[in-house]
Amino acid sequence: MGALPLKLNVTTKTFSDYTQFNSDNPELILSLLDCRYLAGDLELFTKLRDRLIPEMMAQESQVLVGHLADITRTRHANSGTLSFISNRT
């Protein structure tokens, strides 16, 4: 079986990195939509997931939708119809 050309993006951020929307980096906020608890402070994760993410999405939804469309068009242009593969379980 051949190796798959996967690109991983692992980052470490502090809670305060997400309190202000940065229009220069919409993928930072959009990446929160796929956040999952793995380990660590469950209370902090719950606060992020249940309060900060919904607040940020409500405040910036129109801007984020525009950025998401731009990102999708760019990925589609670079990769054809298979922009990304998601294997959520």
Coordinates of all heavy atoms in Angstrom, one line a residue:
M1 N 0.8 -1.2 0.0 CA 0.0 0.0 0.0 C 0.9 1.2 0.0 O 1.8 1.4 0.8 CB -0.9 0.0 1.2 CG -1.7 1.2 1.4 SD -2.7 1.4 2.9 CE -4.0 0.2 2.6
G2 N 0.6 2.2 -0.9 CA 1.4 3.4 -1.0 C 1.1 4.4 0.1 O 0.0 4.4 0.7
A3 N 2.0 5.3 0.3 CA 1.7 6.4 1.3 C 0.7 7.4 0.8 O 0.8 7.8 -0.4 CB 3.0 7.0 1.7
L4 N -0.1 7.9 1.6 CA -1.1 8.9 1.2 C -0.5 10.3 1.5 O 0.1 10.5 2.5 CB -2.4 8.8 2.1 CG -3.2 7.5 1.9 CD1 -4.4 7.5 2.8 CD2 -3.7 7.4 0.4
P5 N -0.6 11.2 0.5 CA -0.1 12.5 0.7 C -1.0 13.4 1.6 O -1.7 14.3 1.1 CB 0.0 13.1 -0.7 CG -1.1 12.4 -1.4 CD -1.2 11.0 -0.8
L6 N -0.9 13.2 2.9 CA -1.8 13.9 3.8 C -1.0 15.1 4.4 O 0.2 15.0 4.7 CB -2.2 13.0 5.0 CG -3.1 11.9 4.6 CD1 -3.5 11.0 5.8 CD2 -4.4 12.4 3.9
K7 N -1.7 16.2 4.6 CA -1.0 17.3 5.3 C -1.7 17.5 6.6 O -2.9 17.7 6.7 CB -1.3 18.6 4.4 CG -0.7 19.8 5.0 CD -1.0 21.0 4.1 CE -0.6 22.3 4.8 NZ -1.0 23.5 4.0
L8 N -0.9 17.4 7.7 CA -1.4 17.6 9.0 C -1.1 19.0 9.5 O -0.1 19.6 9.1 CB -0.7 16.6 10.0 CG -0.9 15.2 9.7 CD1 -0.2 14.3 10.6 CD2 -2.4 14.8 9.6
N9 N -2.0 19.6 10.3 CA -1.8 20.9 10.8 C -2.1 20.9 12.3 O -3.2 20.8 12.7 CB -2.8 21.9 10.1 CG -2.6 23.3 10.6 OD1 -1.6 23.6 11.3 ND2 -3.5 24.2 10.2
V10 N -1.0 20.8 13.0 CA -1.1 20.8 14.5 C -0.6 22.1 15.0 O 0.5 22.5 14.7 CB -0.3 19.6 15.1 CG1 -0.4 19.6 16.6 CG2 -0.8 18.3 14.5
T11 N -1.5 22.7 15.8 CA -1.1 24.0 16.4 C -1.4 24.0 17.9 O -2.3 23.3 18.4 CB -1.8 25.2 15.8 OG1 -3.2 25.0 15.9 CG2 -1.4 25.3 14.3
T12 N -0.7 24.9 18.6 CA -1.0 25.1 20.0 C -1.4 26.6 20.2 O -0.6 27.4 19.8 CB 0.2 24.7 20.9 OG1 0.5 23.3 20.7 CG2 -0.2 24.9 22.4
K13 N -2.5 26.9 20.8 CA -2.9 28.2 21.0 C -3.4 28.4 22.4 O -3.8 27.4 23.1 CB -4.1 28.6 20.0 CG -3.8 28.4 18.6 CD -2.9 29.5 18.1 CE -2.7 29.4 16.6 NZ -1.7 30.4 16.1
T14 N -3.4 29.6 22.9 CA -3.9 29.9 24.2 C -5.4 30.4 24.0 O -5.8 30.8 22.9 CB -3.1 31.1 24.9 OG1 -3.3 32.3 24.1 CG2 -1.7 30.7 25.1
F15 N -6.1 30.3 25.1 CA -7.5 30.7 25.0 C -7.7 32.2 24.5 O -8.6 32.4 23.7 CB -8.2 30.6 26.4 CG -9.6 30.6 26.4 CD1 -10.4 29.5 26.1 CD2 -10.3 31.7 26.8 CE1 -11.7 29.5 26.1 CE2 -11.7 31.7 26.8 CZ -12.4 30.6 26.4
S16 N -6.8 33.0 24.9 CA -6.9 34.4 24.5 C -6.6 34.6 23.0 O -7.1 35.6 22.4 CB -5.9 35.3 25.3 OG -4.6 34.9 25.0
D17 N -6.0 33.7 22.3 CA -5.8 33.7 20.9 C -7.1 33.7 20.1 O -7.2 34.2 19.0 CB -4.9 32.6 20.4 CG -3.5 32.7 20.8 OD1 -3.0 33.8 21.0 OD2 -2.8 31.6 21.0
Y18 N -8.1 33.2 20.7 CA -9.4 33.1 20.1 C -10.4 34.1 20.5 O -11.6 34.1 20.0 CB -10.0 31.7 20.3 CG -9.2 30.6 19.7 CD1 -8.3 29.8 20.5 CD2 -9.3 30.3 18.4 CE1 -7.5 28.8 19.9 CE2 -8.6 29.3 17.8 CZ -7.7 28.6 18.5 OH -6.9 27.6 18.0
T19 N -10.1 35.0 21.4 CA -11.1 36.0 21.9 C -11.3 37.1 20.9 O -12.4 37.8 21.0 CB -10.7 36.5 23.2 OG1 -9.4 37.1 23.2 CG2 -10.7 35.4 24.3
Q20 N -10.4 37.4 20.0 CA -10.6 38.4 19.0 C -10.4 37.8 17.6 O -9.5 37.1 17.4 CB -9.5 39.6 19.2 CG -9.7 40.3 20.5 CD -11.0 41.2 20.5 OE1 -11.4 41.7 19.4 NE2 -11.7 41.2 21.6
F21 N -11.4 38.1 16.7 CA -11.3 37.6 15.4 C -10.2 38.4 14.6 O -10.1 39.6 14.6 CB -12.7 37.8 14.7 CG -12.7 37.4 13.3 CD1 -12.6 36.1 12.9 CD2 -12.8 38.3 12.2 CE1 -12.6 35.7 11.6 CE2 -12.8 37.9 10.9 CZ -12.7 36.6 10.6
N22 N -9.4 37.6 13.9 CA -8.3 38.1 13.1 C -8.7 37.8 11.6 O -8.6 36.7 11.2 CB -7.0 37.5 13.5 CG -5.8 38.0 12.6 OD1 -6.0 38.8 11.7 ND2 -4.7 37.5 12.9
S23 N -9.1 38.9 10.9 CA -9.5 38.6 9.5 C -8.4 38.2 8.6 O -8.6 37.7 7.5 CB -10.2 39.9 9.0 OG -9.3 41.0 9.0
D24 N -7.2 38.3 9.1 CA -6.0 37.9 8.3 C -5.8 36.3 8.4 O -5.1 35.8 7.6 CB -4.7 38.6 8.7 CG -4.7 40.0 8.4 OD1 -5.4 40.4 7.5 OD2 -4.0 40.8 9.1
N25 N -6.5 35.7 9.4 CA -6.3 34.3 9.6 C -7.7 33.6 9.9 O -7.9 33.2 11.0 CB -5.3 34.0 10.7 CG -4.9 32.6 10.8 OD1 -5.3 31.8 10.0 ND2 -4.2 32.2 11.9
P26 N -8.6 33.6 9.0 CA -9.9 33.0 9.2 C -9.9 31.5 9.5 O -10.7 31.0 10.2 CB -10.7 33.3 8.0 CG -9.7 33.5 6.9 CD -8.5 34.1 7.6
E27 N -8.8 30.9 9.0 CA -8.7 29.4 9.2 C -8.6 29.1 10.7 O -9.0 28.0 11.2 CB -7.6 28.8 8.4 CG -8.0 28.7 6.9 CD -7.1 27.8 6.1 OE1 -6.3 27.1 6.7 OE2 -7.2 27.8 4.9
L28 N -8.0 30.0 11.5 CA -7.8 29.8 12.9 C -9.2 29.6 13.6 O -9.4 28.7 14.3 CB -7.1 31.0 13.5 CG -6.9 31.0 15.0 CD1 -6.0 29.8 15.5 CD2 -6.4 32.3 15.5
I29 N -10.1 30.5 13.2 CA -11.5 30.4 13.8 C -12.2 29.3 13.2 O -12.9 28.5 13.9 CB -12.2 31.8 13.6 CG1 -11.4 32.9 14.3 CG2 -13.6 31.7 14.2 CD1 -11.2 32.7 15.8
L30 N -12.1 29.1 11.9 CA -12.9 28.0 11.2 C -12.4 26.7 11.7 O -13.2 25.7 11.8 CB -12.7 28.1 9.7 CG -13.4 29.3 9.1 CD1 -13.0 29.4 7.6 CD2 -14.9 29.2 9.2
S31 N -11.1 26.5 12.1 CA -10.7 25.3 12.6 C -11.3 24.9 13.9 O -11.4 23.7 14.3 CB -9.1 25.3 12.8 OG -8.8 26.2 13.9
L32 N -11.9 25.8 14.7 CA -12.6 25.5 15.9 C -13.8 24.7 15.7 O -14.3 24.0 16.6 CB -12.9 26.8 16.6 CG -11.8 27.6 17.2 CD1 -12.3 28.9 17.8 CD2 -11.1 26.8 18.3
L33 N -14.4 24.8 14.5 CA -15.6 24.1 14.2 C -15.4 22.5 14.3 O -16.3 21.8 14.4 CB -16.2 24.4 12.8 CG -16.6 25.9 12.7 CD1 -17.0 26.1 11.2 CD2 -17.7 26.2 13.6
D34 N -14.1 22.1 14.2 CA -13.8 20.7 14.2 C -13.0 20.4 15.5 O -12.3 19.4 15.5 CB -13.0 20.3 13.0 CG -12.8 18.8 12.8 OD1 -13.7 18.1 13.2 OD2 -11.8 18.4 12.3
C35 N -13.2 21.2 16.6 CA -12.4 20.9 17.8 C -13.0 19.7 18.5 O -14.2 19.4 18.4 CB -12.4 22.1 18.7 SG -14.0 22.5 19.5
R36 N -12.1 18.9 19.1 CA -12.5 17.7 19.8 C -11.7 17.6 21.1 O -10.5 17.9 21.2 CB -12.2 16.5 19.0 CG -12.9 16.5 17.7 CD -12.4 15.3 16.8 NE -12.4 15.7 15.4 CZ -12.2 14.9 14.4 NH1 -11.9 13.7 14.7 NH2 -12.3 15.4 13.2
Y37 N -12.3 17.2 22.2 CA -11.6 17.0 23.4 C -10.8 15.7 23.4 O -11.4 14.6 23.1 CB -12.6 16.9 24.6 CG -11.9 16.7 25.9 CD1 -11.2 17.7 26.5 CD2 -12.0 15.4 26.5 CE1 -10.6 17.4 27.8 CE2 -11.4 15.2 27.7 CZ -10.7 16.2 28.3 OH -10.0 16.0 29.5
L38 N -9.5 15.8 23.6 CA -8.7 14.6 23.7 C -8.1 14.4 25.1 O -8.2 13.3 25.6 CB -7.5 14.8 22.7 CG -7.9 14.9 21.2 CD1 -6.6 15.1 20.4 CD2 -8.6 13.7 20.8
A39 N -7.7 15.4 25.7 CA -7.1 15.3 27.0 C -6.9 16.7 27.6 O -7.0 17.7 26.9 CB -5.7 14.6 27.0
G40 N -6.7 16.8 28.9 CA -6.4 18.1 29.5 C -7.6 18.6 30.3 O -8.4 17.8 30.8
D41 N -7.7 19.9 30.4 CA -8.7 20.6 31.2 C -10.1 20.5 30.5 O -10.4 21.3 29.6 CB -8.3 22.0 31.4 CG -9.1 22.7 32.5 OD1 -10.3 22.3 32.7 OD2 -8.6 23.7 33.0
L42 N -11.0 19.6 31.0 CA -12.3 19.5 30.4 C -13.1 20.7 30.6 O -13.9 21.1 29.7 CB -13.0 18.3 31.0 CG -14.4 18.0 30.4 CD1 -14.4 17.8 28.9 CD2 -15.0 16.8 31.2
E43 N -13.0 21.4 31.7 CA -13.8 22.6 32.0 C -13.4 23.7 31.0 O -14.2 24.4 30.4 CB -13.5 23.1 33.4 CG -14.4 24.3 33.7 CD -14.1 24.8 35.2 OE1 -13.7 23.9 36.0 OE2 -14.4 25.9 35.5
L44 N -12.1 23.9 30.7 CA -11.6 24.8 29.7 C -12.2 24.5 28.3 O -12.6 25.4 27.6 CB -10.1 24.9 29.7 CG -9.5 25.9 28.7 CD1 -9.9 27.3 29.0 CD2 -8.0 25.8 28.8
F45 N -12.1 23.2 27.9 CA -12.6 22.8 26.6 C -14.1 23.1 26.5 O -14.6 23.6 25.5 CB -12.3 21.3 26.4 CG -13.0 20.8 25.1 CD1 -12.4 21.1 23.9 CD2 -14.2 20.1 25.2 CE1 -13.0 20.7 22.7 CE2 -14.8 19.7 24.0 CZ -14.2 20.0 22.8
T46 N -14.8 22.8 27.6 CA -16.3 23.0 27.5 C -16.6 24.5 27.4 O -17.5 24.8 26.7 CB -16.9 22.4 28.8 OG1 -16.6 21.0 28.9 CG2 -18.4 22.6 28.8
K47 N -15.8 25.3 28.1 CA -16.0 26.8 28.0 C -15.8 27.2 26.5 O -16.5 28.0 26.0 CB -15.1 27.5 28.9 CG -15.2 29.0 29.0 CD -14.2 29.5 30.0 CE -14.2 31.0 30.0 NZ -13.2 31.6 30.9
L48 N -14.7 26.7 25.9 CA -14.4 27.1 24.6 C -15.5 26.6 23.6 O -16.0 27.4 22.8 CB -13.1 26.4 24.1 CG -12.7 26.6 22.7 CD1 -12.2 28.0 22.4 CD2 -11.6 25.6 22.4
R49 N -15.9 25.3 23.7 CA -16.9 24.8 22.8 C -18.3 25.4 23.0 O -19.0 25.6 22.1 CB -17.0 23.3 23.0 CG -17.9 22.6 22.0 CD -18.2 21.2 22.4 NE -18.9 21.2 23.6 CZ -18.8 20.3 24.6 NH1 -18.0 19.3 24.4 NH2 -19.5 20.3 25.7
D50 N -18.7 25.6 24.3 CA -20.1 26.0 24.6 C -20.3 27.5 24.6 O -21.5 27.9 24.5 CB -20.6 25.3 25.9 CG -20.7 23.8 25.8 OD1 -20.6 23.3 24.7 OD2 -20.8 23.2 26.9
R51 N -19.3 28.2 24.8 CA -19.5 29.7 24.9 C -18.7 30.5 23.9 O -19.3 31.2 23.1 CB -19.1 30.2 26.3 CG -19.6 31.6 26.5 CD -19.1 32.2 27.8 NE -18.0 33.0 27.5 CZ -16.9 33.1 28.2 NH1 -16.7 32.4 29.3 NH2 -15.9 33.8 27.9
L52 N -17.4 30.3 23.8 CA -16.6 31.1 22.9 C -16.9 30.9 21.5 O -17.0 31.8 20.7 CB -15.1 30.9 23.2 CG -14.1 31.7 22.4 CD1 -14.3 33.2 22.8 CD2 -12.7 31.3 22.5
I53 N -16.9 29.6 21.0 CA -17.2 29.3 19.6 C -18.5 29.8 19.2 O -18.6 30.5 18.1 CB -17.0 27.8 19.4 CG1 -15.6 27.4 19.6 CG2 -17.5 27.4 17.9 CD1 -15.3 25.9 19.5
P54 N -19.6 29.6 19.9 CA -20.9 30.1 19.4 C -20.9 31.7 19.4 O -21.5 32.2 18.4 CB -21.9 29.6 20.4 CG -21.3 28.4 21.0 CD -19.8 28.6 21.0
E55 N -20.3 32.3 20.4 CA -20.2 33.8 20.4 C -19.5 34.3 19.2 O -19.9 35.2 18.5 CB -19.6 34.3 21.6 CG -20.4 34.2 22.9 CD -19.7 34.6 24.1 OE1 -18.6 35.1 24.1 OE2 -20.3 34.4 25.2
M56 N -18.3 33.7 18.9 CA -17.5 34.1 17.7 C -18.2 33.9 16.4 O -18.2 34.7 15.5 CB -16.1 33.4 17.7 CG -15.2 33.8 16.7 SD -14.6 35.5 16.9 CE -13.6 35.3 18.3
M57 N -18.9 32.7 16.3 CA -19.6 32.4 15.1 C -20.8 33.4 14.9 O -21.0 33.8 13.7 CB -20.1 31.0 15.1 CG -19.0 29.9 15.0 SD -17.9 30.1 13.6 CE -16.4 29.5 14.2
A58 N -21.4 33.8 15.9 CA -22.6 34.7 15.8 C -22.1 36.1 15.4 O -22.7 36.7 14.6 CB -23.3 34.7 17.1
Q59 N -21.0 36.5 16.0 CA -20.5 37.9 15.7 C -19.9 38.0 14.3 O -20.0 39.0 13.7 CB -19.4 38.2 16.7 CG -19.9 38.4 18.1 CD -18.7 38.6 19.1 OE1 -17.5 38.7 18.7 NE2 -19.0 38.7 20.4
E60 N -19.2 36.9 13.9 CA -18.5 37.0 12.6 C -19.0 36.1 11.5 O -18.3 35.8 10.6 CB -17.0 36.7 12.9 CG -16.3 37.5 14.0 CD -16.2 39.0 13.7 OE1 -16.3 39.3 12.5 OE2 -16.1 39.8 14.6
S61 N -20.2 35.7 11.6 CA -20.7 34.6 10.7 C -20.6 35.1 9.2 O -20.2 34.3 8.4 CB -22.1 34.2 11.0 OG -23.0 35.3 10.9
Q62 N -21.0 36.3 8.9 CA -21.0 36.7 7.5 C -19.6 36.8 6.9 O -19.3 36.4 5.8 CB -21.7 38.1 7.4 CG -23.2 38.1 7.7 CD -23.9 37.1 6.7 OE1 -23.7 37.1 5.5 NE2 -24.8 36.3 7.3
V63 N -18.7 37.3 7.7 CA -17.3 37.4 7.3 C -16.7 36.0 7.1 O -16.0 35.7 6.2 CB -16.4 38.2 8.3 CG1 -15.0 38.2 8.0 CG2 -16.9 39.6 8.4
L64 N -17.0 35.1 8.1 CA -16.5 33.7 8.0 C -17.0 33.0 6.8 O -16.3 32.2 6.2 CB -16.8 33.0 9.3 CG -15.9 33.5 10.5 CD1 -16.5 32.9 11.8 CD2 -14.5 33.1 10.3
V65 N -18.3 33.2 6.5 CA -18.9 32.5 5.4 C -18.1 32.9 4.1 O -17.8 32.1 3.2 CB -20.4 32.7 5.3 CG1 -20.9 32.3 3.9 CG2 -21.1 32.0 6.4
G66 N -17.9 34.2 4.0 CA -17.1 34.7 2.8 C -15.7 34.1 2.7 O -15.3 33.7 1.7
H67 N -15.0 34.1 3.9 CA -13.7 33.5 3.9 C -13.7 32.0 3.6 O -12.9 31.5 2.9 CB -13.0 33.7 5.3 CG -12.5 35.1 5.5 ND1 -11.5 35.6 4.7 CD2 -12.8 36.0 6.4 CE1 -11.3 36.8 5.1 NE2 -12.0 37.1 6.1
L68 N -14.7 31.3 4.1 CA -14.9 29.9 3.9 C -15.1 29.6 2.4 O -14.5 28.7 1.8 CB -16.0 29.3 4.7 CG -16.2 27.8 4.6 CD1 -15.0 27.0 5.0 CD2 -17.4 27.3 5.4
A69 N -15.9 30.4 1.7 CA -16.1 30.3 0.3 C -14.8 30.5 -0.5 O -14.5 29.8 -1.4 CB -17.2 31.3 -0.2
D70 N -14.0 31.5 -0.1 CA -12.7 31.8 -0.7 C -11.8 30.6 -0.6 O -11.1 30.2 -1.5 CB -12.1 33.1 -0.2 CG -12.9 34.3 -0.5 OD1 -13.7 34.3 -1.5 OD2 -12.7 35.4 0.2
I71 N -11.7 30.1 0.7 CA -10.8 29.0 0.9 C -11.2 27.8 0.1 O -10.4 27.1 -0.5 CB -10.8 28.7 2.5 CG1 -10.2 29.8 3.3 CG2 -10.1 27.3 2.7 CD1 -10.4 29.7 4.8
T72 N -12.5 27.5 0.1 CA -13.0 26.4 -0.7 C -12.7 26.5 -2.2 O -12.3 25.6 -2.8 CB -14.5 26.2 -0.5 OG1 -14.7 26.0 0.9 CG2 -15.1 25.0 -1.2
R73 N -12.9 27.7 -2.7 CA -12.6 28.0 -4.2 C -11.1 27.7 -4.4 O -10.7 27.1 -5.4 CB -13.0 29.4 -4.6 CG -14.5 29.5 -4.9 CD -14.8 30.9 -5.5 NE -14.7 32.0 -4.6 CZ -15.7 32.3 -3.8 NH1 -16.8 31.7 -3.8 NH2 -15.5 33.4 -3.0
T74 N -10.3 28.2 -3.5 CA -8.8 28.1 -3.7 C -8.4 26.6 -3.7 O -7.7 26.1 -4.5 CB -8.1 28.9 -2.6 OG1 -8.4 30.2 -2.7 CG2 -6.6 28.7 -2.8
R75 N -8.9 25.9 -2.7 CA -8.6 24.4 -2.6 C -9.2 23.7 -3.8 O -8.5 22.8 -4.3 CB -9.2 23.9 -1.3 CG -8.5 24.3 -0.1 CD -9.0 23.7 1.2 NE -8.3 24.1 2.3 CZ -8.6 23.9 3.6 NH1 -9.7 23.2 3.8 NH2 -7.9 24.4 4.6
H76 N -10.3 24.1 -4.2 CA -10.9 23.4 -5.4 C -10.0 23.7 -6.6 O -9.8 22.8 -7.4 CB -12.3 23.9 -5.6 CG -13.0 23.3 -6.8 ND1 -13.4 22.0 -6.8 CD2 -13.3 23.7 -8.1 CE1 -14.0 21.7 -8.0 NE2 -13.9 22.7 -8.8
A77 N -9.6 24.9 -6.8 CA -8.7 25.2 -7.9 C -7.4 24.5 -7.9 O -6.9 24.0 -8.9 CB -8.5 26.7 -8.0
N78 N -6.9 24.3 -6.7 CA -5.6 23.6 -6.5 C -5.7 22.0 -6.6 O -4.8 21.4 -7.0 CB -4.9 24.0 -5.2 CG -4.5 25.4 -5.2 OD1 -4.3 26.0 -6.2 ND2 -4.4 26.0 -4.0
S79 N -6.8 21.5 -6.1 CA -7.0 20.1 -6.0 C -8.1 19.4 -6.8 O -8.3 18.2 -6.7 CB -7.2 19.7 -4.5 OG -6.2 20.3 -3.7
G80 N -8.7 20.2 -7.6 CA -9.9 19.6 -8.3 C -11.1 19.4 -7.5 O -11.3 20.2 -6.5
T81 N -11.9 18.5 -7.8 CA -13.1 18.3 -7.0 C -12.9 17.7 -5.7 O -13.8 17.7 -4.8 CB -14.1 17.4 -7.8 OG1 -13.5 16.2 -8.1 CG2 -14.5 18.1 -9.1
L82 N -11.8 17.1 -5.4 CA -11.5 16.5 -4.1 C -10.7 17.5 -3.3 O -9.5 17.4 -3.2 CB -10.7 15.2 -4.3 CG -10.5 14.3 -3.1 CD1 -11.8 13.9 -2.5 CD2 -9.6 13.1 -3.4
S83 N -11.4 18.4 -2.7 CA -10.7 19.5 -1.9 C -10.1 19.0 -0.6 O -9.0 19.4 -0.2 CB -11.7 20.6 -1.6 OG -12.1 21.2 -2.8
F84 N -10.8 18.1 0.1 CA -10.3 17.6 1.3 C -11.1 16.3 1.6 O -12.1 16.1 1.1 CB -10.4 18.5 2.4 CG -11.8 19.0 2.7 CD1 -12.6 18.4 3.6 CD2 -12.3 20.1 2.0 CE1 -13.9 18.8 3.8 CE2 -13.6 20.6 2.3 CZ -14.4 19.9 3.2
I85 N -10.5 15.5 2.5 CA -11.1 14.2 2.9 C -11.3 14.4 4.4 O -10.4 14.6 5.1 CB -10.3 13.0 2.5 CG1 -10.1 12.9 1.0 CG2 -10.9 11.8 3.1 CD1 -9.2 11.8 0.6
S86 N -12.5 14.1 4.9 CA -12.8 14.2 6.3 C -13.2 12.8 6.8 O -14.1 12.2 6.2 CB -13.9 15.2 6.6 OG -14.2 15.2 7.9
N87 N -12.5 12.3 7.8 CA -12.9 11.0 8.3 C -13.3 11.2 9.8 O -12.5 10.9 10.7 CB -11.7 10.1 8.2 CG -12.1 8.7 8.6 OD1 -13.2 8.3 8.8 ND2 -11.1 7.8 8.8
R88 N -14.4 11.8 10.0 CA -14.9 12.0 11.4 C -15.6 10.8 11.9 O -16.4 10.2 11.2 CB -15.8 13.2 11.5 CG -15.1 14.5 11.2 CD -15.9 15.6 11.6 NE -16.0 15.7 13.0 CZ -16.5 16.7 13.7 NH1 -17.0 17.7 13.0 NH2 -16.6 16.7 15.0
T89 N -15.4 10.4 13.1 CA -16.1 9.3 13.7 C -16.7 9.7 15.0 O -16.5 10.7 15.5 CB -15.1 8.1 14.0 OG1 -14.0 8.6 14.8 CG2 -14.6 7.5 12.7

